[in-house]
Amino acid sequence: MKRTYNDLMFKNTFEHEYTWLNGFLRNVRRFPNQKALIDVEKKKEWTYSQLNIEANKLANALQKSKIKKNDVVMGVLMNCPEFIFSYIGPRKLGAIFLAANFKFAAGEFALLINHNKPKVIIYSAIVSKEITEALKIAKYKPKIIIMADNIDNKPLPKNHIAYEDFIKTAESNEPITKAKPHIYDEVLRLCTSGTTAMPKCVPLNDINEVLTSHDVIMHYPMNSNDITLNMSPWFHRGGCHSGGPCPTFYAGGTVIAMRKFQPQNTLDWVKEFKITFLMGAPANLAMICKIQEKSPRDLSSLKGLVTMGAPLTKSDCIKYMEKLCPNIFNGYGTTETFWNSFLRPYNLPDGAGSVGRSCTDDEVRVVKIYDNKKAEPEDLVLTNNNEQGEIIIKSPEKTTYTYYKNKKNEKEKFYKGWMYTGDTGTWNEDFIVTVCGRKDDMIIVSGENIYPTQIEEELNLHPKVQDCIVTSVLDKIRGQAIVAYVVPEDDSLTIAELKDFCAKSKNLSQYKKPRFFCIVESLPFTATGKKKHYMLRQQAEEDLRNGILKKD
């Protein structure tokens, strides 16, 4: 297209140089001696210069092992330094970092390996057993398997290499590569729950990373003096991007690594390191508030508490503002689109319960729901806070509108530049949206998305099970707890047997295992044979109160 000016230099600069990595490297030059990363448990710190050297060592070691542009490096890592090295290092070669959920079961890891075909797997030693089992099951065999973050000195499995040995002889200079970066290159791949055991894989490109960083920096706001701690795992979009490594390193701030959330440690670290932003799920806030009430710490350094995953109640919001920090931020969004509406401190506590208005560069709408088709983006429900519809999101700067090798889910979720979330909600004349529920009966346990169908398929493998419906009840700590209603094939079936079957399952992560069971004679179905999850979801709360649901 002919323009009124010569756009060649702009295009070459913007498309090839306006990358997240260049933003990080600017901070390496600007703040070489400033703390970038703190590992409290190992009592280690890295300045920006030192962090860049570690990333270079990994990149050069990978390059020596023939890893190149668009190859996948899979990380099954807790919030540890090696996650950060793996987040930065591979992109120096144009490779893709697949951040996998370290809570997966062996069977789920095997599916992920077969689907993504990573050349390299880097994993935390704590999941050594699951990874070893997954590699036996998987048809695809990665080239290199690296055990990292071995705090407890676990034995190294056969044919695996220790992270320290893998990078031992690697050079610390910037790797030399012929791969020319582009802002549309995929640099990060995240996982979100699917309706089957196979997670949906979400590709994110470089400009998504840059503009997500801008979004966080603008909304908090964040700068190079900030010190952040995300209580959520970094493999989550909210963990990595909501004050995690993505925006914090782009702003020049400091990230604190917390492998496993511990409320007491969180509060102690706020006091010790003068943390300015704490991020986490509402369940995290509930736990740290409980500790703070019993044993108060000095939290005066906090500039904000940021939470995603569920709206806050007004009473909880007031309590957290009084006990933890007066500035609360509550975001709403998805793995595919990050956050897309946002409640800022001046919206709370009065706006609690809603998810607020759309973010600066986003648009959130509520459209009508039809049985046999998608509503058009302009087919809106009334702005009366009463008529329910489906919440849809336009977020062109933070999503690729795609899944890796999953056309079916792409067609279901993305349409005309919008993501159809499956959440139901209402909105008012000020376009403030309130979430009401789920079209697809998804369950959220401690911030993890769970589809009932996967657990149902696994339970139905039990020889004494005829059929089942999986739903949930409210849980003060986890948000929701999983309930399984089971129709027996054999009348001798016991709840203890069901619990043992789930405990031994290689396809159910710990957080996907039902907490409550109920053996029933029949299940509710629609006229077309679909399970009525919503009916048992309503019944489950009453059954819990009446003691009908059993843990064992």
Side-chain angles (χ1 to χ4, degrees), residues 230-523:
N230 205 312
M231 298 174 280
S232 301
W234 288 335
F235 63 72
H236 277 306
R237 186 80 192 259
C240 186
H241 293 93
S242 177
C246 177
T248 309
F249 291 144
Y250 199 84
T254 305
V255 169
I256 294 184
M258 173 177 272
R259 288 168 179 79
K260 185 177 180 181
F261 169 64
Q262 294 177 309
Q264 188 161 315
N265 283 355
T266 301
L267 295 170
D268 289 341
W269 295 359
V270 171
K271 178 183 177 182
E272 181 178 356
F273 297 100
K274 307 298 181 188
I275 292 169
T276 57
F277 286 104
L278 268 183
M279 290 69 61
N284 298 130
L285 300 188
M287 285 186 268
I288 64 171
C289 188
K290 192 173 182 180
I291 297 292
Q292 179 69 1
E293 286 177 317
K294 291 180 180 178
S295 178
R297 275 81 161 170
D298 178 7
L299 307 182
S300 59
S301 64
L302 281 177
K303 291 161 58 177
L305 290 173
V306 187
T307 187
M308 294 179 67
L312 294 174
T313 65
K314 187 171 184 177
S315 59
D316 281 342
C317 191
I318 292 170
K319 182 164 65 175
Y320 301 155
M321 292 170 77
E322 291 175 350
K323 303 294 182 181
L324 299 172
C325 177
N327 297 322
I328 309 283
F329 304 79
N330 193 186
Y332 165 79
T334 68
T335 300
E336 295 86 343
T337 60
F338 188 45
W339 65 37
N340 311 107
S341 68
F342 207 64
L343 289 164
R344 297 165 176 81
Y346 54 77
N347 301 124
L348 296 167
D350 292 341
S354 77
V355 296
R357 291 189 187 90
S358 54
C359 296
T360 305
D361 292 326
D362 299 69
E363 189 170 356
V364 180
R365 293 181 180 178
V366 186
V367 297
K368 293 180 179 178
I369 298 174
Y370 300 103
D371 290 335
N372 57 354
K373 66 174 183 177
K374 275 188 177 69
E376 292 295 319
E378 295 77 24
D379 196 1
L380 309 175
V381 304
L382 296 174
T383 54
N384 60 4
N385 244 1
N386 183 45
E387 185 182 2
Q388 287 193 30
E390 181 174 6
I391 299 171
I392 65 172
I393 292 166
K394 178 173 278 189
S395 182
E397 78 284 14
K398 293 176 290 193
T399 183
T400 56
Y401 293 105
T402 186
Y403 298 113
Y404 178 68
K405 292 186 177 179
N406 192 333
K407 295 293 183 185
K408 180 178 180 293
N409 282 122
E410 276 182 21
K411 188 175 180 181
E412 289 174 357
K413 287 290 186 181
F414 305 117
Y415 180 64
K416 293 187 176 180
W418 295 81
M419 180 181 175
Y420 284 63
T421 65
D423 286 336
T424 60
T426 62
W427 60 348
N428 63 19
E429 65 277 2
D430 295 319
F431 303 109
I432 293 173
V433 175
T434 300
V435 177
C436 298
R438 290 288 305 174
K439 279 177 63 183
D440 53 19
D441 302 306
M442 188 175 75
I443 300 165
I444 302 177
V445 176
S446 297
E448 299 286 354
N449 296 345
I450 302 165
Y451 285 90
T453 49
Q454 182 197 346
I455 305 171
E456 290 166 0
E457 287 171 6
E458 190 68 13
L459 281 171
N460 285 340
L461 294 176
H462 193 292
K464 292 185 181 182
V465 171
Q466 181 189 118
D467 204 354
C468 65
I469 283 181
V470 169
T471 184
S472 65
V473 290
L474 295 176
D475 183 277
K476 288 183 179 179
I477 300 300
R478 301 169 185 84
Q480 291 174 288
I482 299 171
V483 180
Y485 286 89
V486 180
V487 177
E489 181 72 32
D490 184 324
D491 289 340
S492 67
L493 177 68
T494 65
I495 288 174
E497 287 178 295
L498 290 170
K499 187 175 181 182
D500 183 63
F501 179 79
C502 292
K504 293 177 179 177
S505 170
K506 293 179 179 178
N507 294 317
L508 289 182
S509 310
Q510 187 62 38
Y511 64 89
K512 293 180 182 176
K513 295 173 182 177
R515 190 174 179 206
F516 298 100
F517 296 88
C518 185
I519 295 177
V520 295
E521 292 182 1
S522 62
L523 302 171

Side-chain angles (χ1 to χ4, degrees), residues 109-233:
F109 283 131
L111 288 171
L112 207 59
I113 291 167
N114 288 336
H115 186 69
N116 291 277
K117 296 179 170 50
K119 296 285 182 66
V120 181
I121 296 179
I122 306 174
Y123 68 89
S124 285
I126 196 169
V127 295
S128 173
K129 180 182 176 182
E130 290 79 6
I131 292 297
T132 302
E133 184 67 28
L135 291 167
K136 291 177 184 176
I137 301 169
K139 293 180 180 179
Y140 175 82
K141 305 301 178 185
K143 183 179 177 182
I144 304 165
I145 312 297
I146 303 169
M147 178 195 274
D149 194 37
N150 195 0
I151 291 180
D152 298 324
N153 294 314
K154 288 182 176 288
L156 191 69
K158 186 179 178 181
N159 298 324
H160 295 206
I161 184 171
Y163 184 90
E164 293 76 14
D165 291 334
F166 182 69
I167 66 164
K168 186 187 295 182
T169 60
E171 295 185 7
S172 60
N173 57 289
E174 292 290 332
I176 299 171
T177 175
K178 294 180 181 179
K180 191 174 184 181
H182 193 282
I183 58 174
Y184 293 167
D185 286 342
E186 182 184 2
V187 292
L188 181 65
R189 194 174 295 170
L190 301 178
C191 304
T192 188
S193 296
T195 53
T196 64
M198 178 64 217
K200 299 194 295 280
C201 297
V202 180
L204 295 175
N205 61 36
D206 211 308
I207 198 65
N208 291 153
E209 293 272 275
V210 170
L211 295 178
T212 296
S213 297
H214 285 183
D215 208 311
V216 174
I217 291 166
M218 171 173 60
H219 279 84
Y220 279 24
M222 178 188 285
N223 61 56
S224 59
N225 295 313
D226 282 313
I227 302 169
T228 70
L229 170 61
N230 205 312
M231 298 174 280
S232 301

